[in-house]
Amino acid sequence: LRRGGLAERLCRLQNRERSAISFWRHQCISDTKTSGKKHKSGVLIVKILEMCEECTIQVAVCQQLEQTPATLSPGDAAVNAGEPILKVLFARETAAHLKSRPQDVILIHPPWQKLLLKNTDVPVIMNTYFSQKVLLSEHSETGEKAYSLTKMPIRKNVISLAQTFRLDDLGDALHQEPSENQVACAPQIPNNCDSKQHPLVPSAVNDSLLEMVESQGAVGWREVQVRVVIQRVYCLPAREGSRSYVQGNKPLAAPPTMNSDLPNVRLCLLVQDAYGMFSEVQLQSLSSADDVEQYCRRWEGRFCCLAGMKILQRTTRGRALGLFSLIDSLWPPVVPVKVPGQTQGSEMMIKELPPPSFCYILAVQSSEIDVEVDEEEQISHLYQPPAVRGLKDILQMDGCNERCSFWARVLYLRLQTKGHVPINQREIWLFVTDTTLQNVVPRMPRVVGVTVAASCVLSTEISEALSVASQRVFFKDALWGNGRIICVERTVLLLQKPLLCSAAGADLSELTGPVRLDELDSTTQANSICALRGTVVGVNERTAFSWPTCDRCGNGKLELCPQDRELLYCNQCSEVVVSPVLKMQLEVFLSCPSRSQSTVKVKVQHEMSCGLFVLINVLLSLQSYEVQSVLGKEVGLLNCYVHAVTSRPNCVGLEEIVLL
Amino acid sequence: DMLFSRLNFIFGPSAVPALGLVDQRAVTRVTSPSGRTAYQVLGSSGKPYTCYSSCHFCTCPAFGFTVLQKSESLLCKHILAVYLSQALGACQELSVSEEQLTSILLAEEEDEG
């Protein structure tokens, strides 16, 4: 700063003022209450009628009072006609200190300044650094405290660009030369305090999510409605925070154990506005995901109006990989989107538009749906239905974390229990196939494993259906990456194909004939299923054991009858088990020509065993495990689940399974 | 002093830097034969910024951000310096040809383009 210059003078003044203000404030605290006291002349007493904020300055329309009201209650809203109206400006720091609201009475100590503008009658009071709020009574003090805890939203008057650029008064000849007595920007302070209309609220419905989000915080934003297209409907687990794992096989941090009556999933929509911007809207909490199929059918592709949304978060690509992988699958938009500043987008522009890098997550304010879905109207052109592909194409995709949709038959289901994980945290492995894989393709597996992570919400209908019989399931928006297909949050499993889906050359025909599994060979990996044939070369006698089970209910934990220690008793049936079924578990070593280098160890259970059934039956009937008689026997095609594959020693551990 | 105080109150953080610019005589009014005017202010980095005379506009990044985007301020320090220099008669004067003024006004647009 130049020595002796104006800036230096102002700097010194600023410092003087700052210290004066803090000194005065300190003094105020130690002062006694001010109600009813007569003040020194020069003190301005005002009651706030209305407040708004403009460019960080708080503008309060007030009424000047003669003296401090002694017994005025805060609820007294009557405006005395005779009292003059003032517009008082408070600097940001003063306003934060005062925390005033309408109907408050403020004492403004000198030095303050009055400004009379040319065009208006209402005088402006400035330099209100030494302001104090009048505490009216004992009662209101505690009320004040409670009030000040809740941050009151204050209307922010946004000066429109038209005003800044003076587009309204282009007719004006020259802008006036400011004189020394008048603050230069005075003509620019618009009298917007009086207008009830918020500048951004049109009476028509908006079509920009960004505008709605940016107008939040201002009074009247609740009336802003945005019209959007619902691209996807799905359920998210209720506790999902902003951290979403892409490799969904890691269970989320354990929430309390699931109580089926409590809401633990949230219905969510992924919406897109006319400018191509996406937003995830969280609707009400549901206790289960049972209706999601219905919502998908009714709502996807339709227009809906959002109003009065609460902004939960503005998330970016790096923080919400799962969400953005879904957004990427819907990019670029299929119809031209609007570009701010232009009325119509062009075809060429779509291809050049970069995918979005941020997304707002909104939520409804109350438990009622603030979202009106227009179910009557036609499907929007902006809607991109899931693109169904054959599994063969998906396995050949070289992207990472790409969303894909397919229609496949589930052959086998396995729950992965790693340690003590609660039921709702378990991962489910599904082994699926479709016609594209079953028709023999070199170097492609016939069956592929799909991991269903705990974050992927399944409806009870699907869960039950999957465990009972082989089902055709539509996997909507599963993730493909690192050579695996996983179902994570935002993936939806449906029992029926949705009405709208684009099948780009995918073969969606039903599988004919029996399903064939890949045969055990050198490329077989752990956690897959395969078929094998071989010769018995050994039996692991150490791990063989048998146990009786109830013939009625299959209960494997039978007890000895208290009365007669020779008989067995089943708790579940509450009856004596007369003829128990003997189950036996046995590990058999096979020599398989398809994988001749490895020791193949197959765990078989008596009841399920098909190929080995006859052999074991023979053993049992003889009441002895004649290993010799089993050796060398040929075993036909067994369906197995591969537990582990180790290279040193070269061993494959399998378990015989029954396909659905 | 009273004036200073009022300036400070309304303009807050822009006031001192604006006065600094006035002290340095950094504001130049550029006029052309047709009567068109523009203001050029030498910023603290030495870079000249153009301010329009017909409305509030300045080519500095602070204007675009605090005024246009966030509506946190009414003007930037350059525009305030223009007003103050006018009031104090501390503007430097420069007459240029039409083409030169046009290029001043247009050059900024190219930068932003």
Side-chain angles (χ1 to χ4, degrees), chain A residues 157-183:
Chain A
N157 257 333
V158 175
I159 301 179
S160 68
L161 286 179
Q163 279 173 314
T164 311
F165 294 150
R166 291 200 233 183
L167 297 174
D168 313 326
D169 42 51
L170 279 174
D172 266 63
L174 299 158
H175 87 119
Q176 45 188 173
E177 297 280 276
S179 63
E180 271 200 290
N181 288 330
Q182 199 178 57
V183 179

PDB file of all heavy atoms in Angstrom, chain A residues 157-183:
ATOM      1  N   ASN A 157     -31.536 -12.403  -1.511  1.00  0.00           N
ATOM      2  CA  ASN A 157     -31.948 -11.719  -2.732  1.00  0.00           C
ATOM      3  C   ASN A 157     -30.832 -11.789  -3.742  1.00  0.00           C
ATOM      4  O   ASN A 157     -29.793 -11.171  -3.578  1.00  0.00           O
ATOM      5  CB  ASN A 157     -32.246 -10.252  -2.433  1.00  0.00           C
ATOM      6  CG  ASN A 157     -33.728 -10.033  -2.386  1.00  0.00           C
ATOM      7  OD1 ASN A 157     -34.484 -10.758  -3.027  1.00  0.00           O
ATOM      8  ND2 ASN A 157     -34.145  -9.058  -1.641  1.00  0.00           N
ATOM      9  N   VAL A 158     -31.071 -12.537  -4.746  1.00  0.00           N
ATOM     10  CA  VAL A 158     -30.044 -12.657  -5.762  1.00  0.00           C
ATOM     11  C   VAL A 158     -30.284 -11.576  -6.793  1.00  0.00           C
ATOM     12  O   VAL A 158     -31.350 -11.495  -7.374  1.00  0.00           O
ATOM     13  CB  VAL A 158     -30.121 -14.043  -6.427  1.00  0.00           C
ATOM     14  CG1 VAL A 158     -29.144 -14.145  -7.553  1.00  0.00           C
ATOM     15  CG2 VAL A 158     -29.854 -15.107  -5.394  1.00  0.00           C
ATOM     16  N   ILE A 159     -29.280 -10.774  -6.992  1.00  0.00           N
ATOM     17  CA  ILE A 159     -29.431  -9.725  -8.001  1.00  0.00           C
ATOM     18  C   ILE A 159     -29.294 -10.395  -9.356  1.00  0.00           C
ATOM     19  O   ILE A 159     -28.273 -11.001  -9.666  1.00  0.00           O
ATOM     20  CB  ILE A 159     -28.355  -8.642  -7.829  1.00  0.00           C
ATOM     21  CG1 ILE A 159     -28.460  -8.036  -6.434  1.00  0.00           C
ATOM     22  CG2 ILE A 159     -28.513  -7.569  -8.880  1.00  0.00           C
ATOM     23  CD1 ILE A 159     -27.435  -6.992  -6.157  1.00  0.00           C
ATOM     24  N   SER A 160     -30.319 -10.266 -10.123  1.00  0.00           N
ATOM     25  CA  SER A 160     -30.293 -10.975 -11.402  1.00  0.00           C
ATOM     26  C   SER A 160     -29.254 -10.338 -12.324  1.00  0.00           C
ATOM     27  O   SER A 160     -28.895  -9.181 -12.184  1.00  0.00           O
ATOM     28  CB  SER A 160     -31.664 -10.909 -12.064  1.00  0.00           C
ATOM     29  OG  SER A 160     -31.932  -9.576 -12.464  1.00  0.00           O
ATOM     30  N   LEU A 161     -28.806 -11.135 -13.246  1.00  0.00           N
ATOM     31  CA  LEU A 161     -27.806 -10.634 -14.182  1.00  0.00           C
ATOM     32  C   LEU A 161     -28.351  -9.465 -14.978  1.00  0.00           C
ATOM     33  O   LEU A 161     -27.631  -8.551 -15.342  1.00  0.00           O
ATOM     34  CB  LEU A 161     -27.367 -11.744 -15.138  1.00  0.00           C
ATOM     35  CG  LEU A 161     -26.456 -12.796 -14.517  1.00  0.00           C
ATOM     36  CD1 LEU A 161     -26.102 -13.843 -15.544  1.00  0.00           C
ATOM     37  CD2 LEU A 161     -25.206 -12.170 -13.964  1.00  0.00           C
ATOM     38  N   ALA A 162     -29.654  -9.491 -15.200  1.00  0.00           N
ATOM     39  CA  ALA A 162     -30.255  -8.391 -15.952  1.00  0.00           C
ATOM     40  C   ALA A 162     -30.035  -7.079 -15.221  1.00  0.00           C
ATOM     41  O   ALA A 162     -29.791  -6.050 -15.829  1.00  0.00           O
ATOM     42  CB  ALA A 162     -31.739  -8.655 -16.156  1.00  0.00           C
ATOM     43  N   GLN A 163     -30.112  -7.130 -13.912  1.00  0.00           N
ATOM     44  CA  GLN A 163     -29.899  -5.907 -13.139  1.00  0.00           C
ATOM     45  C   GLN A 163     -28.445  -5.505 -13.143  1.00  0.00           C
ATOM     46  O   GLN A 163     -28.109  -4.335 -13.284  1.00  0.00           O
ATOM     47  CB  GLN A 163     -30.382  -6.100 -11.704  1.00  0.00           C
ATOM     48  CG  GLN A 163     -31.863  -5.930 -11.601  1.00  0.00           C
ATOM     49  CD  GLN A 163     -32.335  -6.303 -10.220  1.00  0.00           C
ATOM     50  OE1 GLN A 163     -31.946  -7.336  -9.684  1.00  0.00           O
ATOM     51  NE2 GLN A 163     -33.164  -5.487  -9.640  1.00  0.00           N
ATOM     52  N   THR A 164     -27.560  -6.499 -12.947  1.00  0.00           N
ATOM     53  CA  THR A 164     -26.143  -6.184 -12.932  1.00  0.00           C
ATOM     54  C   THR A 164     -25.717  -5.567 -14.251  1.00  0.00           C
ATOM     55  O   THR A 164     -24.950  -4.620 -14.291  1.00  0.00           O
ATOM     56  CB  THR A 164     -25.313  -7.464 -12.715  1.00  0.00           C
ATOM     57  OG1 THR A 164     -25.854  -8.165 -11.617  1.00  0.00           O
ATOM     58  CG2 THR A 164     -23.867  -7.129 -12.450  1.00  0.00           C
ATOM     59  N   PHE A 165     -26.226  -6.131 -15.305  1.00  0.00           N
ATOM     60  CA  PHE A 165     -25.837  -5.624 -16.605  1.00  0.00           C
ATOM     61  C   PHE A 165     -26.768  -4.546 -17.116  1.00  0.00           C
ATOM     62  O   PHE A 165     -26.667  -4.130 -18.254  1.00  0.00           O
ATOM     63  CB  PHE A 165     -25.763  -6.782 -17.610  1.00  0.00           C
ATOM     64  CG  PHE A 165     -24.681  -7.767 -17.295  1.00  0.00           C
ATOM     65  CD1 PHE A 165     -24.815  -9.098 -17.646  1.00  0.00           C
ATOM     66  CD2 PHE A 165     -23.533  -7.380 -16.638  1.00  0.00           C
ATOM     67  CE1 PHE A 165     -23.812 -10.007 -17.356  1.00  0.00           C
ATOM     68  CE2 PHE A 165     -22.523  -8.275 -16.333  1.00  0.00           C
ATOM     69  CZ  PHE A 165     -22.671  -9.591 -16.698  1.00  0.00           C
ATOM     70  N   ARG A 166     -27.664  -4.143 -16.241  1.00  0.00           N
ATOM     71  CA  ARG A 166     -28.587  -3.045 -16.547  1.00  0.00           C
ATOM     72  C   ARG A 166     -29.271  -3.225 -17.880  1.00  0.00           C
ATOM     73  O   ARG A 166     -29.326  -2.322 -18.698  1.00  0.00           O
ATOM     74  CB  ARG A 166     -27.850  -1.722 -16.536  1.00  0.00           C
ATOM     75  CG  ARG A 166     -27.447  -1.380 -15.134  1.00  0.00           C
ATOM     76  CD  ARG A 166     -27.172   0.046 -15.033  1.00  0.00           C
ATOM     77  NE  ARG A 166     -25.857   0.231 -14.448  1.00  0.00           N
ATOM     78  CZ  ARG A 166     -25.357   1.402 -14.170  1.00  0.00           C
ATOM     79  NH1 ARG A 166     -26.033   2.480 -14.447  1.00  0.00           N
ATOM     80  NH2 ARG A 166     -24.177   1.486 -13.643  1.00  0.00           N
ATOM     81  N   LEU A 167     -29.758  -4.402 -18.099  1.00  0.00           N
ATOM     82  CA  LEU A 167     -30.446  -4.646 -19.359  1.00  0.00           C
ATOM     83  C   LEU A 167     -31.812  -4.004 -19.367  1.00  0.00           C
ATOM     84  O   LEU A 167     -32.387  -3.744 -20.392  1.00  0.00           O
ATOM     85  CB  LEU A 167     -30.571  -6.148 -19.609  1.00  0.00           C
ATOM     86  CG  LEU A 167     -29.230  -6.862 -19.767  1.00  0.00           C
ATOM     87  CD1 LEU A 167     -29.448  -8.357 -19.869  1.00  0.00           C
ATOM     88  CD2 LEU A 167     -28.514  -6.362 -20.998  1.00  0.00           C
ATOM     89  N   ASP A 168     -32.365  -3.739 -18.166  1.00  0.00           N
ATOM     90  CA  ASP A 168     -33.693  -3.118 -18.113  1.00  0.00           C
ATOM     91  C   ASP A 168     -33.648  -1.698 -18.594  1.00  0.00           C
ATOM     92  O   ASP A 168     -34.509  -1.250 -19.310  1.00  0.00           O
ATOM     93  CB  ASP A 168     -34.232  -3.115 -16.672  1.00  0.00           C
ATOM     94  CG  ASP A 168     -34.053  -4.465 -16.016  1.00  0.00           C
ATOM     95  OD1 ASP A 168     -34.160  -5.458 -16.736  1.00  0.00           O
ATOM     96  OD2 ASP A 168     -33.834  -4.493 -14.798  1.00  0.00           O
ATOM     97  N   ASP A 169     -32.644  -0.979 -18.119  1.00  0.00           N
ATOM     98  CA  ASP A 169     -32.672   0.441 -18.458  1.00  0.00           C
ATOM     99  C   ASP A 169     -31.672   0.787 -19.538  1.00  0.00           C
ATOM    100  O   ASP A 169     -30.854   1.671 -19.391  1.00  0.00           O
ATOM    101  CB  ASP A 169     -32.445   1.305 -17.219  1.00  0.00           C
ATOM    102  CG  ASP A 169     -31.339   0.726 -16.349  1.00  0.00           C
ATOM    103  OD1 ASP A 169     -30.267   0.440 -16.896  1.00  0.00           O
ATOM    104  OD2 ASP A 169     -31.577   0.539 -15.147  1.00  0.00           O
ATOM    105  N   LEU A 170     -31.731   0.048 -20.597  1.00  0.00           N
ATOM    106  CA  LEU A 170     -30.867   0.364 -21.728  1.00  0.00           C
ATOM    107  C   LEU A 170     -31.264   1.705 -22.326  1.00  0.00           C
ATOM    108  O   LEU A 170     -30.501   2.346 -23.019  1.00  0.00           O
ATOM    109  CB  LEU A 170     -30.966  -0.721 -22.802  1.00  0.00           C
ATOM    110  CG  LEU A 170     -30.126  -1.966 -22.540  1.00  0.00           C
ATOM    111  CD1 LEU A 170     -30.410  -3.019 -23.585  1.00  0.00           C
ATOM    112  CD2 LEU A 170     -28.660  -1.633 -22.533  1.00  0.00           C
ATOM    113  N   GLY A 171     -32.506   2.115 -22.024  1.00  0.00           N
ATOM    114  CA  GLY A 171     -32.980   3.380 -22.545  1.00  0.00           C
ATOM    115  C   GLY A 171     -32.291   4.562 -21.877  1.00  0.00           C
ATOM    116  O   GLY A 171     -32.197   5.647 -22.443  1.00  0.00           O
ATOM    117  N   ASP A 172     -31.767   4.344 -20.671  1.00  0.00           N
ATOM    118  CA  ASP A 172     -31.103   5.431 -19.943  1.00  0.00           C
ATOM    119  C   ASP A 172     -29.919   5.968 -20.714  1.00  0.00           C
ATOM    120  O   ASP A 172     -29.123   5.201 -21.241  1.00  0.00           O
ATOM    121  CB  ASP A 172     -30.575   4.894 -18.614  1.00  0.00           C
ATOM    122  CG  ASP A 172     -31.579   5.134 -17.513  1.00  0.00           C
ATOM    123  OD1 ASP A 172     -32.674   4.549 -17.635  1.00  0.00           O
ATOM    124  OD2 ASP A 172     -31.299   5.910 -16.619  1.00  0.00           O
ATOM    125  N   ALA A 173     -29.784   7.255 -20.705  1.00  0.00           N
ATOM    126  CA  ALA A 173     -28.708   7.861 -21.502  1.00  0.00           C
ATOM    127  C   ALA A 173     -27.325   7.487 -20.987  1.00  0.00           C
ATOM    128  O   ALA A 173     -26.637   6.668 -21.553  1.00  0.00           O
ATOM    129  CB  ALA A 173     -28.885   9.370 -21.543  1.00  0.00           C
ATOM    130  N   LEU A 174     -26.940   8.108 -19.895  1.00  0.00           N
ATOM    131  CA  LEU A 174     -25.606   7.814 -19.347  1.00  0.00           C
ATOM    132  C   LEU A 174     -25.805   7.488 -17.888  1.00  0.00           C
ATOM    133  O   LEU A 174     -26.713   8.007 -17.268  1.00  0.00           O
ATOM    134  CB  LEU A 174     -24.698   9.037 -19.455  1.00  0.00           C
ATOM    135  CG  LEU A 174     -24.416   9.585 -20.838  1.00  0.00           C
ATOM    136  CD1 LEU A 174     -23.977  11.028 -20.743  1.00  0.00           C
ATOM    137  CD2 LEU A 174     -23.331   8.775 -21.520  1.00  0.00           C
ATOM    138  N   HIS A 175     -24.934   6.684 -17.356  1.00  0.00           N
ATOM    139  CA  HIS A 175     -25.120   6.454 -15.926  1.00  0.00           C
ATOM    140  C   HIS A 175     -24.535   7.627 -15.171  1.00  0.00           C
ATOM    141  O   HIS A 175     -23.537   8.205 -15.562  1.00  0.00           O
ATOM    142  CB  HIS A 175     -24.514   5.103 -15.518  1.00  0.00           C
ATOM    143  CG  HIS A 175     -23.047   5.180 -15.161  1.00  0.00           C
ATOM    144  ND1 HIS A 175     -22.612   4.838 -13.923  1.00  0.00           N
ATOM    145  CD2 HIS A 175     -21.967   5.523 -15.863  1.00  0.00           C
ATOM    146  CE1 HIS A 175     -21.305   4.970 -13.878  1.00  0.00           C
ATOM    147  NE2 HIS A 175     -20.872   5.374 -15.038  1.00  0.00           N
ATOM    148  N   GLN A 176     -25.188   8.009 -14.091  1.00  0.00           N
ATOM    149  CA  GLN A 176     -24.862   9.268 -13.446  1.00  0.00           C
ATOM    150  C   GLN A 176     -23.495   9.252 -12.795  1.00  0.00           C
ATOM    151  O   GLN A 176     -23.070   8.240 -12.266  1.00  0.00           O
ATOM    152  CB  GLN A 176     -25.946   9.625 -12.438  1.00  0.00           C
ATOM    153  CG  GLN A 176     -26.342   8.434 -11.609  1.00  0.00           C
ATOM    154  CD  GLN A 176     -27.533   8.705 -10.753  1.00  0.00           C
ATOM    155  OE1 GLN A 176     -28.031   7.820 -10.131  1.00  0.00           O
ATOM    156  NE2 GLN A 176     -27.991   9.916 -10.707  1.00  0.00           N
ATOM    157  N   GLU A 177     -22.865  10.381 -12.806  1.00  0.00           N
ATOM    158  CA  GLU A 177     -21.578  10.512 -12.146  1.00  0.00           C
ATOM    159  C   GLU A 177     -21.826  10.548 -10.653  1.00  0.00           C
ATOM    160  O   GLU A 177     -22.600  11.355 -10.167  1.00  0.00           O
ATOM    161  CB  GLU A 177     -20.925  11.850 -12.557  1.00  0.00           C
ATOM    162  CG  GLU A 177     -20.615  11.937 -14.042  1.00  0.00           C
ATOM    163  CD  GLU A 177     -19.334  11.194 -14.377  1.00  0.00           C
ATOM    164  OE1 GLU A 177     -18.264  11.780 -14.220  1.00  0.00           O
ATOM    165  OE2 GLU A 177     -19.435  10.030 -14.783  1.00  0.00           O
ATOM    166  N   PRO A 178     -21.218   9.686  -9.934  1.00  0.00           N
ATOM    167  CA  PRO A 178     -21.485   9.705  -8.487  1.00  0.00           C
ATOM    168  C   PRO A 178     -20.809  10.904  -7.835  1.00  0.00           C
ATOM    169  O   PRO A 178     -19.707  11.285  -8.189  1.00  0.00           O
ATOM    170  CB  PRO A 178     -20.864   8.394  -8.018  1.00  0.00           C
ATOM    171  CG  PRO A 178     -19.854   8.041  -9.045  1.00  0.00           C
ATOM    172  CD  PRO A 178     -20.284   8.647 -10.321  1.00  0.00           C
ATOM    173  N   SER A 179     -21.480  11.511  -6.918  1.00  0.00           N
ATOM    174  CA  SER A 179     -20.880  12.638  -6.200  1.00  0.00           C
ATOM    175  C   SER A 179     -20.253  12.118  -4.937  1.00  0.00           C
ATOM    176  O   SER A 179     -20.484  10.990  -4.533  1.00  0.00           O
ATOM    177  CB  SER A 179     -21.946  13.684  -5.887  1.00  0.00           C
ATOM    178  OG  SER A 179     -22.888  13.100  -5.027  1.00  0.00           O
ATOM    179  N   GLU A 180     -19.498  12.979  -4.293  1.00  0.00           N
ATOM    180  CA  GLU A 180     -18.754  12.503  -3.138  1.00  0.00           C
ATOM    181  C   GLU A 180     -19.667  12.098  -1.984  1.00  0.00           C
ATOM    182  O   GLU A 180     -19.295  11.310  -1.142  1.00  0.00           O
ATOM    183  CB  GLU A 180     -17.820  13.596  -2.652  1.00  0.00           C
ATOM    184  CG  GLU A 180     -16.484  13.535  -3.330  1.00  0.00           C
ATOM    185  CD  GLU A 180     -15.428  14.269  -2.533  1.00  0.00           C
ATOM    186  OE1 GLU A 180     -15.514  15.498  -2.489  1.00  0.00           O
ATOM    187  OE2 GLU A 180     -14.559  13.620  -1.960  1.00  0.00           O
ATOM    188  N   ASN A 181     -20.822  12.713  -1.924  1.00  0.00           N
ATOM    189  CA  ASN A 181     -21.664  12.427  -0.766  1.00  0.00           C
ATOM    190  C   ASN A 181     -22.484  11.164  -0.922  1.00  0.00           C
ATOM    191  O   ASN A 181     -23.177  10.761  -0.017  1.00  0.00           O
ATOM    192  CB  ASN A 181     -22.625  13.588  -0.511  1.00  0.00           C
ATOM    193  CG  ASN A 181     -21.857  14.759   0.047  1.00  0.00           C
ATOM    194  OD1 ASN A 181     -20.868  14.580   0.724  1.00  0.00           O
ATOM    195  ND2 ASN A 181     -22.335  15.955  -0.261  1.00  0.00           N
ATOM    196  N   GLN A 182     -22.449  10.629  -2.089  1.00  0.00           N
ATOM    197  CA  GLN A 182     -23.340   9.500  -2.302  1.00  0.00           C
ATOM    198  C   GLN A 182     -22.503   8.264  -2.576  1.00  0.00           C
ATOM    199  O   GLN A 182     -21.572   8.281  -3.361  1.00  0.00           O
ATOM    200  CB  GLN A 182     -24.225   9.787  -3.498  1.00  0.00           C
ATOM    201  CG  GLN A 182     -25.450   8.935  -3.522  1.00  0.00           C
ATOM    202  CD  GLN A 182     -26.300   9.303  -4.693  1.00  0.00           C
ATOM    203  OE1 GLN A 182     -25.829   9.259  -5.819  1.00  0.00           O
ATOM    204  NE2 GLN A 182     -27.534   9.676  -4.428  1.00  0.00           N
ATOM    205  N   VAL A 183     -22.834   7.217  -1.969  1.00  0.00           N
ATOM    206  CA  VAL A 183     -22.108   5.975  -2.197  1.00  0.00           C
ATOM    207  C   VAL A 183     -22.424   5.482  -3.604  1.00  0.00           C
ATOM    208  O   VAL A 183     -23.569   5.441  -4.010  1.00  0.00           O
ATOM    209  CB  VAL A 183     -22.535   4.912  -1.167  1.00  0.00           C
ATOM    210  CG1 VAL A 183     -21.797   3.626  -1.419  1.00  0.00           C
ATOM    211  CG2 VAL A 183     -22.257   5.415   0.227  1.00  0.00           C
TER     212      VAL A 183
END
